[in-house]
Every structure is written in C-alpha cells, then in structure tokens.
Amino acid sequence: MPNTTVTSASVDQNLALAKQCSREAAIAGFKAAAIGTVASGIPTLVSVRMLPWAKANINPAGQALIISTVAGMAYFIAADKKILALARQHSYENAPDHLKDTSLEGTGRPHPGFFRP
C-alpha cells in the first residue's frame, strides 16, 4: 500500500479542482440547454400555428412541457459528459507513470488478445 499523507493543502487543492469542474460542467449544461430550447422551441411553436392536428391537441402547457423536457435533458447530458471527461483527464494526470504507458511495446504481441485482425 503506498504511503500517502493527506494535508490541508491537498484537500484545499482537491476542493478547488472539484469546484472548477462543477462550474465548467454547469456552464456546458447551460449552453446545451439554451441550444436545446431554441432547437425544440422553434419547431414546436411553428407546428402549433401551422398544423391543424398540433393546433387542436397541443395546448400551451404541452408546448412548455416539450420545450422544457428537451432543455432539461440537454443540460444533464452535457453536464454529465463534461464531468466524465474532466474526471478522465484528471485521473490520467494524477496516475503513476507506469499506468500512463498505454502502448503495447514489450508485450510480445502486436495486438491485445481479444483483438484478432
């Protein structure tokens, strides 16, 4: 087991990194939600005004539900993808050098065992 010590500085550094990552994820989610709102709002509002079926069956609450559902989904999907990407990046940066080497040199095989060209 490696000898690791937890200091106040390392805890503060990790907390600052977590806050920065969550802020970046929130911004990415907000941008995706804004794009999703426009991308779903325009066709929804146009179809309610031009298509007889939509005009008869989709009331204003339904329109708002369609638009807000797309915006919410876009927010959470984009934020989750950003968090995962940042977690991968930071875990790779903090990994020991022997784990960073992902090449197959020295293994005696040109491909992993599960991949047979």
Side-chain angles (χ1 to χ4, degrees):
M1 181 168 182
N3 186 10
T4 59
T5 57
V6 178
T7 63
S8 177
S10 67
V11 171
D12 290 342
Q13 181 182 8
N14 285 343
L15 183 61
L17 185 63
K19 285 182 180 180
Q20 177 187 358
C21 291
S22 64
R23 178 170 165 71
E24 288 181 33
I27 290 171
F30 179 75
K31 288 178 183 178
I35 293 169
T37 300
V38 172
S40 66
I42 292 171
T44 301
L45 296 175
V46 168
S47 66
V48 167
R49 281 160 184 72
M50 300 188 73
L51 299 174
W53 179 90
K55 188 181 290 189
N57 292 304
I58 303 177
N59 62 12
Q63 296 168 33
L65 183 62
I66 292 168
I67 296 167
S68 63
T69 301
V70 171
M73 288 172 40
Y75 177 88
F76 286 110
I77 290 170
D80 189 47
K81 286 181 71 162
K82 186 67 171 182
I83 288 171
L84 289 174
L86 290 171
R88 270 191 220 103
Q89 174 187 350
H90 295 305
S91 67
Y92 181 77
E93 290 170 357
N94 296 331
D97 288 334
H98 72 281
L99 294 177
K100 288 183 181 180
D101 181 19
T102 58
S103 70
L104 296 173
E105 290 185 27
T107 60
R109 295 184 306 212
H111 302 288
F114 61 85
F115 179 70
R116 305 216 190 271

